């Protein structure tokens, strides 16, 4: 396990280094964001000096690394707040959304993929194919707006953009930062219902996109298994089709599937920027993108460390589960 | 049986969506809920804040010595924390008498000492907006001597006998906010004059206190019950960051918000038939202009400058993609400003442009424009491109992010710039000094003036006239001076003002007395009611 930990640490370090260098060579001037359009050259120079941008790149990086190790990501120039504080606020928002999205994606995508494989060419398979195709090809931006228009604007079934209704804003004490969880902790069920009504649409949308991927992968893993010899043996032995599929083939699919799900979850954690914008969801994807466009490197680096750590943790987790589930890996 | 499973799951997901509660239909009666793009806020320190949304917040947390009446912006500057003022005979000393009995949110009394310290602090802090005060000869070194107090009087010693209107207009801007010295001094870190703390906290005496600010998410203000002009009707003001116009429109139509501030012309048109909603139009100070860099061999020819003024399709652009949100305006002073001109002599006239160019022997040429990736700007550029092609000129359009464009512009590397300029304070000098003033056109001067950024060596007489207008004590004469400068400017300047912003705020019918501050000020909430 020591080797794994070391390689994870090196991965994170490499990630930081690459992001740092990209940030510094980007054709955006971070000082301008601080001093604004009206500043004189003297104010500009003073700000540049204060930001330490006059030092050589390697020195800037070492200084930064030292701060990070102390848990200090510096102050964001685009929000005025310490980056660590910003991240504590935006990350739970994304985590909550991505978790629910993945649950929906797995809950629907896996069974859909299994059945599509079992009844290859049947109507469920056809539907699954169309569902996946739409999921791949439809712009998430447009689908989100249409969803809002229909379910919020016309039918009024769900809450609008934002994480909460206005009167619930700040009502539930922050513990985890995930409003669904916090309202359960506080025992405030009306706040929970409100938060749920706001999250269900963007989460379903993300869930849909991940189910399109997960169901396709599940289907292809299943097809591999179903053509394997042990399945034929099982069938010859007279096992029911249900037991063959769920009891034998599916168990073997589970192993590679975990990696797929982990990857999909990871991508929802960093890639749901458009969803976050359409739904005014103040999450980490939106945070990093805005910071990037503003040349706010402290925020970008802080965000990258968090998302990168998540990927690393997910990889580790799927590795462990792999060992647990696959006897050959032991 | 197993093939039914996914169907059941799908049905269940739908059932969950249906079972979720319906959205709230109405906002609380004592709360004003606004949807706006507020992701530009960097700091709430009055000495630093210089972005639109940040100033909107500062305006309501703090009082200034003099200010605008939200219900009568045209009346101009009125007393606020300063009850009265007098100017010395030589015109170089202004003494303001402070109102008695006003309290900061902390409960501390508002004193002349706080007012003096606030101005000194802003000058010493020396962030972007500091130049507004520095215009009166204040520097971090001398400000302690130039800005002083005696009892309940604040004394400003100026280096020149500036027009009283000029000084007061500048004091009314956000950097003139009076800050609670005692409270801030308790939060100073090193030599930051409380900047870090004030960036996210409030120490004012304004009609609202800061309840919460979550960057890119929301700003919440709470009514200050002891406000000296009476507590505001709205107990809470919540400004939510909603980026998308269509999302703002949905929230408004559903009754989840009271006001939407950033609807596109299409969405404004879309709610026209809704009898629960209304749209309030207000002229704002922002000018959409085109800068022609005088470094470019083609653009530096006076004939090309003249021709360009006729290649812009003002009426066509105003009537199509800028519909209702920009108005043709060919002067650098926005309507609503002292001395603003309403003359718009240029019209879209391809033939005239062609004649000017052929007379000068120009039949072809290529120029580049670097445009910020905002649809309006890109559309303006493309319209211009089409018109230019009709007279043999080629326009290459390059799109960039705002930060990139600004970077290039500040380095004088943009041949044709298309973008906005918002006034920094409520006095005509704000735009005159940036559009029509450039005392040093050298590359290493590194000035922030627009004239400099376009490498335009402003004629000496215009530079002098711009300075002289700040010293003219007679307001009528001062107005005439600005009209003259603008008239000459229209003749020769290679920086072409084209449109002035109209802000369309869409809101529920029951919202009354809404104002975004017109062309001279920022948004004010204290007079807003819901009936």
């Amino acid at each position: 396990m020591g080797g794994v930990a070391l390689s994870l640490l090196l991965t994170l370090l490499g990630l930081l280094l690459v992001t740092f260098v990209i940030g510094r060579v980007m054709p955006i001037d971070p000082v301008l964001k601080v001093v604004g359009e009206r500043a004189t050259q003297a104010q500009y120079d003073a700000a540049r000096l204060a930001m330490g941008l006059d030092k050589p790149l390697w020195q800037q990086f070492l200084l930064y690394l030292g701060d990070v190790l102390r848990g200090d990501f510096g102050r964001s120039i685009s929000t005025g707040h310490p980056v660590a504080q910003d991240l504590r606020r935006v990350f739970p928002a994304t985590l909550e959304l991505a978790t629910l999205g993945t649950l929906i994606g797995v809950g629907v995508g896996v069974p859909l993929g299994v059945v599509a494989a079992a009844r290859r060419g049947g109507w469920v398979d056809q539907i699954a194919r169309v569902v996946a195709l739409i999921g791949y090809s439809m712009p998430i931006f447009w689908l989100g707006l249409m969803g809002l228009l229909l379910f919020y604007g016309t039918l009024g079934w769900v809450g609008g953009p934002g994480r909460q209704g206005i009167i619930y804003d700040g009502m539930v004490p922050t513990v985890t930062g995930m409003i669904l969880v916090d309202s359960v902790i506080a025992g405030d069920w009306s706040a929970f219902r409100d938060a749920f009504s706001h999250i269900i649409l963007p989460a379903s949308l993300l869930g849909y996109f991940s189910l399109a991927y997960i169901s396709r992968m599940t289907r292809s893993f299943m097809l591999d298994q179903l053509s394997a010899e042990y399945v034929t043996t099982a069938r010859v032995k007279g096992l029911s089709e249900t037991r063959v599929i769920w009891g034998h083939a599916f168990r073997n699919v589970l192993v590679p599937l975990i990696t797929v799900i982990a990857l999909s979850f990871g991508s929802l954690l960093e890639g749901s920027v458009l969803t976050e914008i359409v739904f005014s969801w103040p999450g980490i994807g939106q945070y990093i993108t805005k910071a990037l466009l503003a040349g706010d490197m402290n925020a970008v680096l802080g965000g990258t460390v968090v998302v990168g750590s998540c990927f690393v943790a997910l990889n580790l987790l799927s590795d462990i589960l792999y060992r647990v589930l696959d006897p050959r890996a032991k | 049986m197993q093939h039914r499973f996914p169907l059941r799951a799908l049905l269940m997901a739908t059932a969950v969506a249906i079972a979720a509660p319906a959205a709230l239909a109405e906002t609380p009666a004592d709360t004003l809920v606004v949807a706006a793009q507020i992701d530009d806020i960097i700091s709430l320190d009055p000495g630093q804040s210089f972005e639109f949304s940040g100033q909107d917040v500062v305006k309501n947390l703090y009082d200034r010595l003099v200010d605008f009446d939200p219900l009568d912006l045209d009346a101009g500057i009125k007393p606020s924390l300063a009850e009265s003022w007098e100017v010395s005979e030589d015109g170089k000393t202004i003494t303001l008498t402070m109102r008695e009995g006003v309290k900061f949110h902390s409960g501390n009394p508002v004193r002349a000492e706080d007012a003096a310290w606030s101005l000194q602090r802003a000058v010493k802090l020396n962030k972007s907006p500091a130049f507004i005060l520095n215009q009166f000869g204040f520097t971090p070194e001398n400000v302690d001597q130039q800005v002083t107090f005696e009892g309940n009087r604040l004394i400003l010693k100026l280096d020149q006998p500036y027009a009283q209107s000029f000084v007061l207009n500048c004091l009314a801007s956000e950097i003139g906010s009076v800050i609670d010295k005692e409270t801030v001094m308790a939060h100073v870190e090193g030599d930051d004059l409380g900047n870090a703390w004030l960036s996210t906290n409030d120490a004012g005496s304004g009609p609202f206190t800061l309840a919460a600010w979550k960057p890119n998410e929301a700003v919440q203000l709470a009514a200050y019950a002891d406000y000296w002009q009476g507590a505001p009707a709205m107990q809470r003001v919540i400004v939510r960051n909603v980026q998308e116009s269509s999302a703002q429109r949905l929230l408004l139509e559903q009754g989840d918000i009271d006001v939407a501030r950033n609807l596109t012309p299409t969405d404004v048109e879309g709610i026209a038939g809704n009898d629960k909603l209304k749209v309030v139009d207000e002229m704002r100070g922002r000018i959409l202009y085109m800068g022609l860099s005088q470094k470019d061999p083609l653009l530096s020819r006076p004939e090309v400058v003249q021709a360009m003024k006729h290649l812009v399709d003002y009426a066509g652009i105003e009537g199509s993609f800028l519909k209702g949100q920009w108005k043709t305006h060919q002067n650098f002073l926005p309507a609503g400003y002292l001395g603003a001109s309403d003359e718009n002599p240029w019209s879209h006239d391809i033939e005239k442009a062609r004649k000017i160019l052929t007379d000068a022997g120009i039949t072809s040429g290529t120029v580049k424009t670097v445009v910020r990736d905002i649809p309006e700007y890109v559309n303006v550029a493309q319209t211009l491109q089409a018109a230019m092609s009709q007279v043999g000129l080629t326009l290459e359009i390059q799109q960039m992010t705002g930060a990139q464009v600004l970077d290039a512009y500040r380095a004088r590397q943009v041949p044709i710039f298309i973008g906005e300029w918002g006034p920094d304070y409520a006095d005509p000098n704000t735009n005159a000094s940036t559009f029509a003033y450039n005392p040093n056109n050298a590359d290493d001067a590194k000035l922030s003036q627009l004239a400099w950024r376009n490498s335009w060596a402003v004629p000496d007489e215009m530079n002098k006239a711009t300075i002289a207008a700040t010293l003219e004590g007679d307001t009528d004469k001062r107005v005439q001076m600005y009209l003259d400068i603008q008239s000459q400017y229209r003749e020769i300047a290679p920086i072409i003002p084209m449109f002035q912003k109209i802000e369309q705020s869409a809101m529920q019918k029951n919202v009354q007395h809404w104002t975004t501050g017109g062309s001279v000020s920022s948004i004010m909430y204290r007079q807003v009611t819901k009936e």
Side-chain angles (χ1 to χ4, degrees):
Chain A
M1 273 324 256
V4 178
L6 186 68
S7 83
L8 292 183
L9 204 67
L10 285 176
T11 311
L12 273 179
L13 194 68
L15 186 71
L16 263 181
L17 184 65
V18 169
T19 320
F20 186 86
V21 170
I22 290 176
R24 286 298 188 266
V25 300
M26 227 173 26
I28 286 182
D29 186 348
V31 185
L32 275 181
K33 178 73 184 171
V34 173
V35 300
E37 197 172 343
R38 305 336 195 226
T40 60
Q41 191 63 28
Q43 287 166 336
Y44 179 94
D45 294 340
R48 194 180 143 80
L49 212 64
M51 291 166 75
L53 292 173
D54 55 319
K55 297 193 177 76
L57 208 59
W58 62 270
Q59 212 172 334
Q60 289 181 40
F61 183 67
L62 286 184
L63 282 173
Y64 179 76
L65 213 56
D67 286 340
V68 168
L69 288 176
R70 282 190 295 273
D72 177 9
F73 292 98
R75 200 173 270 273
S76 156
I77 55 172
S78 48
T79 70
H81 288 58
V83 171
Q85 186 186 327
D86 279 344
L87 290 171
R88 273 200 298 278
R89 198 170 43 78
V90 297
F91 183 65
T94 298
L95 185 62
E96 191 171 35
L97 187 60
T99 307
L100 198 58
T102 302
L103 286 179
I104 293 172
V106 172
V108 182
V110 171
L112 193 65
V114 170
V115 177
R119 299 287 175 103
R120 190 178 180 180
W123 61 273
V124 174
D125 193 19
Q126 300 294 347
I127 289 177
R129 184 172 301 152
V130 174
V131 164
L133 192 69
I134 294 174
Y136 281 130
S137 54
M138 205 68 97
I140 199 161
F141 195 73
W142 184 81
L143 217 54
L145 278 176
M146 288 302 118
L148 267 179
L149 194 64
L150 179 64
F151 295 109
Y152 168 65
T154 309
L155 299 170
W157 289 352
V158 303
R163 294 179 74 192
Q164 283 171 296
I166 280 119
I167 62 162
Y168 288 102
D169 202 15
M171 295 286 278
V172 177
T174 303
V175 183
T176 62
M178 290 182 277
I179 296 177
L180 286 179
V181 179
D182 286 352
S183 53
V184 169
I185 292 173
D188 188 338
W189 295 105
S190 60
F192 179 83
R193 272 197 301 278
D194 171 71
F196 186 76
S197 83
H198 280 84
I199 202 174
I200 187 66
L201 190 58
S204 303
L205 195 65
L206 290 180
Y208 179 52
F209 280 80
S210 73
L211 92 81
Y213 174 60
I214 290 171
S215 70
R216 286 332 271 171
M217 296 307 282
T218 310
R219 179 181 181 274
S220 96
F221 292 152
M222 267 314 266
L223 286 177
D224 281 352
Q225 295 298 329
L226 289 174
S227 63
E229 245 169 63
Y230 73 91
V231 169
T232 320
T233 316
R235 279 182 177 143
V236 170
K237 275 161 71 182
L239 285 183
S240 76
E241 194 63 13
T242 313
R243 282 201 61 189
V244 169
I245 291 171
W246 294 101
H248 287 74
F250 184 66
R251 280 180 68 173
N252 289 321
V253 166
L254 218 52
V255 179
L257 206 53
I258 280 167
T259 314
V260 167
I261 292 167
L263 280 176
S264 155
F265 183 57
S267 72
L268 288 195
L269 279 178
E270 48 98 46
S272 51
V273 181
L274 285 177
T275 319
E276 291 184 353
I277 288 174
V278 175
F279 290 93
S280 298
W281 201 268
I284 197 164
Q286 208 182 120
Y287 182 73
I288 296 179
T289 312
K290 268 184 191 146
L292 199 63
L293 288 176
D296 183 356
M297 285 324 289
N298 284 346
V300 173
L301 285 165
T304 311
V305 172
V306 169
V307 173
S309 307
C310 283
F311 263 103
V312 167
L314 283 169
N315 264 316
L316 190 66
L317 197 71
S318 69
D319 238 35
I320 293 170
L321 281 173
Y322 197 93
R323 281 158 208 250
V324 171
L325 288 170
D326 190 350
R328 282 167 301 176
K330 274 181 184 152
Chain B
M1 282 304 281
Q2 64 274 25
H3 66 277
R4 289 210 189 136
F5 185 77
L7 278 181
R8 207 181 300 155
L10 279 172
L11 284 174
M12 271 179 64
T14 319
V16 167
I18 294 170
L24 282 162
E26 212 171 84
T27 61
D30 63 353
T31 304
L32 182 73
V33 185
V34 181
Q37 292 164 0
I38 56 162
D39 55 342
D40 58 335
I41 306 180
I42 295 173
S43 168
L44 298 180
D45 183 339
Q48 179 181 8
S49 163
F50 215 36
E51 296 71 41
F52 291 120
S53 309
Q55 298 220 315
D56 280 349
V57 180
V58 169
K59 187 81 187 170
N60 293 281
L61 297 178
Y62 294 86
D63 280 320
R64 282 141 295 276
L65 293 159
V66 292
D67 218 331
F68 290 93
D69 177 354
L71 294 174
D72 190 7
L73 293 170
D74 295 339
I77 299 288
K78 292 192 164 175
S80 182
L81 289 183
E83 222 166 23
S84 62
W85 49 87
E86 56 189 56
V87 183
S88 68
E89 213 146 286
D90 67 355
K92 286 162 86 169
T93 304
I94 299 185
T95 308
L96 302 102
T97 305
M98 301 292 290
R99 193 177 296 278
E100 298 283 348
V102 180
K103 282 189 161 48
F104 285 113
H105 301 152
S106 64
N108 294 336
V110 178
R111 307 160 302 171
E113 183 177 353
D114 295 294
W117 180 78
S118 303
L119 297 180
Q120 291 164 357
R121 174 186 184 273
V123 171
K124 287 179 195 163
L125 198 59
N126 199 21
K127 300 281 185 185
S128 316
F131 77 93
I132 298 174
L133 298 175
N134 294 347
Q135 297 182 108
F136 306 113
F138 304 152
T139 63
E141 292 74 33
N142 75 10
V143 72
D144 285 346
Q145 288 84 54
Q146 302 305 101
V147 178
T148 52
F149 69 97
E150 244 172 51
N152 73 335
R153 291 183 310 161
L154 172 74
I155 301 151
L156 306 179
K157 293 202 189 83
L158 318 174
D159 66 341
Q160 299 275 326
Y162 294 105
Q164 187 184 310
S165 53
F166 178 37
V167 180
L168 296 180
N169 282 335
C170 288
L171 290 178
S173 70
E174 281 74 7
I175 196 165
S177 296
V178 176
I179 305 170
D180 184 348
K181 181 182 174 184
E182 303 299 322
T183 301
V184 175
M185 287 310 267
H187 293 99
V188 168
E189 289 171 31
D191 53 1
D192 81 337
L193 296 165
N195 175 243
W197 186 79
L198 263 191
S199 286
T200 55
N201 289 281
D202 117 71
S205 63
F208 291 92
T209 62
L210 182 67
W213 166 36
K214 293 184 247 175
N216 303 336
E217 199 171 330
V219 174
Q220 287 198 27
L221 306 178
Y224 175 41
D226 293 334
Y227 187 56
W228 62 278
Q229 298 192 74
M234 293 291 112
Q235 286 303 301
R236 284 207 297 170
V237 175
I238 301 171
V239 186
R240 262 217 185 172
N241 186 40
V242 181
Q243 288 294 315
E244 278 298 299
S245 165
S246 45
Q248 289 193 9
R249 177 181 161 188
L250 271 174
L251 284 162
L252 189 69
E253 288 176 328
Q254 290 300 302
D256 280 342
I257 59 169
D258 296 305
V259 184
R261 286 192 67 187
N262 310 95
L263 296 192
T264 59
T266 321
D267 281 325
V268 169
E269 220 167 291
I271 59 161
N274 191 328
D275 55 12
K276 281 187 257 160
L277 306 176
K278 64 179 177 184
V279 175
V280 173
D281 286 359
E282 246 181 307
M283 286 305 281
R284 298 307 306 274
R286 276 182 263 170
I287 299 283
L288 183 57
Y289 71 96
M290 170 164 68
L292 308 177
S293 171
Q294 296 304 289
K295 267 191 180 168
D296 187 281
L298 192 64
L299 297 173
S300 60
R301 299 189 60 171
E303 298 87 359
V304 175
V305 172
Q306 284 307 315
M308 289 299 278
K309 290 172 183 170
H310 293 288
L311 288 173
V312 179
D313 185 1
Y314 305 93
I317 293 173
E318 185 184 313
S320 54
F321 49 84
L322 297 186
K323 198 170 180 183
Q325 306 201 328
W326 291 91
K327 183 176 175 294
T328 299
H329 188 80
Q330 298 168 351
N331 296 286
F332 64 71
L333 281 184
Y337 268 70
L338 189 76
S341 165
D342 55 6
E343 281 183 48
N344 296 320
W346 314 316
S347 58
H348 182 53
D349 192 337
I350 300 278
E351 282 317 310
K352 196 164 175 181
R354 183 179 291 132
K355 186 165 185 317
I356 295 172
L357 291 173
T358 45
D359 285 354
I362 301 166
T363 50
S364 68
T366 300
V367 233
K368 205 173 84 175
T369 178
V370 182
V371 194
R372 191 173 170 186
D373 50 2
I374 291 179
E376 288 93 25
Y377 299 178
V378 177
N379 281 332
V380 169
Q382 285 169 346
T383 316
L384 189 68
Q385 186 181 44
M388 284 170 73
S389 73
Q390 291 188 49
V391 294
L393 299 178
T394 307
L395 181 66
E396 284 172 6
I397 301 175
Q398 192 181 353
Q399 290 187 41
M400 285 186 182
T401 65
Q404 287 173 309
V405 175
L406 183 56
D407 207 4
Y409 195 33
R410 279 181 66 110
R412 309 175 111 191
Q413 285 163 354
V414 179
I416 296 186
F417 179 84
I418 294 171
E420 285 170 54
W421 182 263
D424 296 322
Y425 48 92
D427 192 80
N429 186 55
T430 182
N431 276 15
S433 63
T434 187
F435 279 88
Y437 183 70
N438 180 13
N440 182 359
N441 198 32
D443 267 342
D444 58 2
K446 307 226 168 187
L447 301 170
S448 55
Q449 282 96 338
L450 297 187
W452 181 83
R453 287 187 198 169
N454 287 289
S455 308
W456 180 41
V458 174
D460 215 28
E461 52 172 320
M462 194 180 276
N463 279 332
K464 281 187 181 139
T466 301
I467 298 286
T470 62
L471 298 169
E472 179 52 61
D474 183 327
T475 304
D476 289 339
K477 278 192 196 152
R478 197 169 176 231
V479 166
Q480 191 54 49
M481 291 170 95
Y482 282 114
L483 289 174
D484 292 344
I485 298 174
Q486 289 170 91
S487 162
Q488 197 200 351
Y489 193 85
R490 285 192 303 268
E491 288 297 315
I492 58 165
I495 303 169
I496 306 170
M498 302 185 292
F499 304 97
Q500 183 177 346
K501 177 85 183 161
I502 302 170
E503 181 157 343
Q504 296 192 298
S505 312
M507 63 194 79
Q508 307 292 341
K509 274 241 165 79
N510 65 350
V511 177
Q512 305 293 328
H513 312 306
W514 169 267
T515 176
T516 52
S519 47
V520 288
S521 193
S522 310
I523 202 162
M524 284 168 270
Y525 300 117
R526 70 175 157 92
Q527 77 293 345
V528 174
T529 57
K530 280 160 75 172
E531 279 147 19

